[in-house]
């Protein structure tokens, strides 16, 4: 499992640009910090997979991390998709920023499996995402449906209903990883519904304090659930029937897991710094960190780097955690992002027809700015004139 998420747009390399293609507002360090910390959790979760089997504590923590790290990415992705519509320039960004990286990295993972791991059964199929690439496929589909969610009256209940029905449908199959697309859909729609003030609310001191016992309770619940619950529920990639559960378990688990994910995500956001930190700039490179760390994890497993027994003891698990965090941090650096820009943010003007409406939008935007400046200047002149007249009246009165 993924991370997308994240990106989560969260995975988007640069949220200075409106994901919908609009003007670039000033950066908010909070979202860059959140993306970086979330991608660290993603990498750590993947690094734990080969060593968690012998530790109930690590398996419990694994469940807790998987309960919210993808929802956090997807919620941020939805939040930065709010202004998406079917305007040509925004569709172009959707293709170059999500569809093209999906095709390139799906192909790269296929080549790795076929030629490095010598997996003769590996097939290249753009309809069957492998390992990490499912998130890019899902984000593409979610973005395309954004105008629908902005149109209907009760988007979140409808999205939850769709996710619940998906768990009843094993016949959905693996095409485009639709189980994940549909079961994670409520998180994306929730992001569409959020506003900046909602993020400010969860960052209050009271929420930060309350999040400590919430995470402690979640850790205990994860430890308790290890022998009683299949962690595959958190992947959201299978129907209830495929997980060996009764049919009614799926529709019950969807709102329960969604509620838990929202609660833990809120607690996670409460501890994300809102100021600029040493890792804030790394939040712009989470797409590179997300897509590249999968190669490292798979290579480590294939080469037997997880084989030493000491890695399955507490100190070894801490070592694995530290190496995963440090490794994904390096992959998020601007140097790596610049090297991958051809694949993650390709300039493909040659592939698109000229946008006939772009010039008109630019003229309208220039006109609006000119009008604003004229109003400001007029107001300033009026204020200056008023001050001059007031001064004359004061002299007369004197």
């Amino acid at each position: 499992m993924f991370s997308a998420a994240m990106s989560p747009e969260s995975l988007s390399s640069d949220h200075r640009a409106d994901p919908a293609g609009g003007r670039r507002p000033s950066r908010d360090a909070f979202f860059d910090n959140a993306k970086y910390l979330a991608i660290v959790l993603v990498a750590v979760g993947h690094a734990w997979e080969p060593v968690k089997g012998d530790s109930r504590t690590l398996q419990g923590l694994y469940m807790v991390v998987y309960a919210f790290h993808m929802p956090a990415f997807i919620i941020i992705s939805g939040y930065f998709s709010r202004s998406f519509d079917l305007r040509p320039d925004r569709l172009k960004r959707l293709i170059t920023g999500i569809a093209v990286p999906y095709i390139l990295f799906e192909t790269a993972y296929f080549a790795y499996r076929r030629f490095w791991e010598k997996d003769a059964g590996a097939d290249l199929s753009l309809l069957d995402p492998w390992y990490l690439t499912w998130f890019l496929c899902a984000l593409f589909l979610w973005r395309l449906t954004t105008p629908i969610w902005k149109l209907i009256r009760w988007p979140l209940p409808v999205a939850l209903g769709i996710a619940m029905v998906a768990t009843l449908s094993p016949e959905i199959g693996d095409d485009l990883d639709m189980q994940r697309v549909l079961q994670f859909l409520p998180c994306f729609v929730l992001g569409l519904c959020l506003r900046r003030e909602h993020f400010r609310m969860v960052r209050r001191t009271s929420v930060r304090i309350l999040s400590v016992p919430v995470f402690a309770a979640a850790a205990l619940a994860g430890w308790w659930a290890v022998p009683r619950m299949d962690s595959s529920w958190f992947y959201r990639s299978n129907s209830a029937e495929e997980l060996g559960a009764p049919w009614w378990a799926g529709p019950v688990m969807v709102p329960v897991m969604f509620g838990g994910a929202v609660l833990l995500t809120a607690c996670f956001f409460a501890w994300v710094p809102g100021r600029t930190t040493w890792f804030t700039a790394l939040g712009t490179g989470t797409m590179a960190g997300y897509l590249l760390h999968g190669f490292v994890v798979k290579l480590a497993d294939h080469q037997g780097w997880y084989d030493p027994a000491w890695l399955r003891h507490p100190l070894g698990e801490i070592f694995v955690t530290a190496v995963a965090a440090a490794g994904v941090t390096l992959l998020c650096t601007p140097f790596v992002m610049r090297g991958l820009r051809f694949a993650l943010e390709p300039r493909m003007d040659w592939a698109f027809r000229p946008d006939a409406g772009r010039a008109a939008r630019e003229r309208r935007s220039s006109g609006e700015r000119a009008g604003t400046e004229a109003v400001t200047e007029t107001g300033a002149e009026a204020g200056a004139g008023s001050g001059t007249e007031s001064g004359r009246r004061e002299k007369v009165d004197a």
Side-chain angles (χ1 to χ4, degrees):
M1 180 176 176
F2 169 4
S3 95
M6 108 127 213
S7 194
E9 191 118 16
S10 15
L11 289 180
S12 167
S13 62
D14 187 355
H15 74 258
R16 282 176 301 178
D18 181 332
R23 289 189 304 173
R24 293 180 172 238
S26 60
R27 296 193 69 89
D28 188 334
F30 167 78
F31 290 105
D32 280 334
N33 294 336
K35 291 192 295 180
Y36 166 74
L37 294 174
I39 199 65
V40 168
L41 291 176
V42 168
V44 166
H46 284 149
W48 281 349
E49 288 179 1
V51 299
K52 67 181 176 64
D54 297 329
S55 172
R56 182 171 177 177
T57 299
L58 192 60
Q59 290 184 67
L61 292 176
Y62 177 87
M63 284 189 175
V64 173
V65 168
Y66 268 74
F68 76 90
H69 75 344
M70 269 311 306
F73 258 123
I74 297 170
I75 288 171
I76 296 176
S77 298
Y79 177 74
F80 281 102
S81 300
R82 292 172 301 156
S83 56
F84 180 83
D85 56 27
L86 301 182
R87 212 170 71 182
D89 58 327
R90 294 175 178 172
L91 288 174
K92 175 183 174 182
R93 182 173 173 80
L94 181 68
I95 293 171
T96 59
I98 298 178
V100 171
Y102 168 71
I103 294 171
L104 293 178
F105 276 88
E106 181 69 18
T107 303
Y109 273 111
F110 158 74
Y112 165 78
R113 296 165 63 198
R114 175 62 66 87
F115 301 110
W116 185 269
E117 294 189 351
K118 308 298 183 182
D119 183 359
D123 294 318
L124 176 60
S125 173
L126 297 181
L127 296 180
D128 186 12
W130 187 75
Y131 198 35
L132 304 177
T133 56
W134 74 267
F135 180 73
L136 296 179
C137 179
L139 185 57
F140 183 87
L141 297 175
W142 291 331
R143 280 272 176 81
L144 283 179
T145 64
T146 294
I148 297 175
W149 302 112
K150 292 162 58 178
L151 177 66
I152 64 178
R153 182 167 294 179
W154 301 291
L156 190 54
V158 172
L160 280 168
I162 291 174
M164 293 166 71
V165 172
T167 65
L168 301 174
S169 310
E171 64 275 8
I172 287 179
D174 296 327
D175 289 349
L176 300 180
D177 227 339
M178 285 303 295
Q179 279 288 354
R180 278 175 170 160
V181 171
L182 298 178
Q183 291 191 42
F184 276 117
L185 176 62
C187 297
F188 181 80
V189 174
L190 175 61
L192 290 175
C193 298
L194 294 178
R195 298 295 178 265
R196 189 171 294 271
E197 55 267 24
H198 296 129
F199 291 95
R200 285 197 293 265
M201 287 172 58
V202 301
R203 291 160 60 194
R204 293 180 298 186
T205 301
S206 58
V207 179
R208 190 173 295 121
I209 294 173
L210 288 172
S211 67
V212 175
V214 170
F215 270 124
L220 289 175
W223 184 88
W224 175 87
V226 167
R228 299 173 175 85
M229 180 180 176
D230 187 345
S231 61
S232 297
W233 280 104
F234 296 103
Y235 304 160
R236 293 172 172 85
S237 58
N238 299 105
S239 66
E241 180 180 324
E242 291 171 314
L243 292 175
W247 67 268
W248 52 264
V252 170
M253 289 293 288
V254 165
V256 170
M257 294 182 65
F258 176 74
V262 171
L263 176 62
L264 292 176
T265 298
C267 294
F268 168 70
F269 286 154
W271 282 96
V272 172
R275 67 186 184 283
T276 299
T277 67
W278 66 267
F279 56 80
T280 299
L282 299 175
T284 66
T286 51
M287 177 72 89
Y290 170 61
L291 290 171
L292 290 178
H293 88 273
F295 289 104
V296 179
V297 172
K298 289 297 183 181
L299 179 65
D301 196 19
H302 182 260
Q303 295 296 108
W305 297 349
Y306 284 106
D307 291 347
W310 67 272
L311 292 177
R312 287 158 179 78
H313 295 94
L315 288 179
E317 294 162 358
I318 293 173
F319 174 78
V320 168
T321 302
V323 169
V328 78
T329 297
L330 291 175
L331 295 177
C332 290
T333 55
F335 175 79
V336 175
M337 188 63 202
R338 285 194 296 269
L340 285 180
R341 196 170 299 278
F342 74 95
L344 300 180
E345 296 180 349
R347 297 186 62 85
M348 297 179 58
D349 293 339
W350 55 268
F352 301 97
R353 296 178 179 177
D355 183 359
R358 181 175 181 177
R361 289 193 299 272
E362 291 178 348
R363 286 196 299 270
R364 184 165 59 250
S365 178
S366 299
E368 290 173 355
R369 287 196 298 271
T372 301
E373 292 170 359
V375 170
T376 302
E377 291 173 0
T378 301
E381 292 172 359
S386 175
T388 303
E389 183 63 29
S390 175
R392 283 198 285 264
R393 285 198 301 270
E394 289 175 359
K395 290 180 181 179
V396 171
D397 292 341

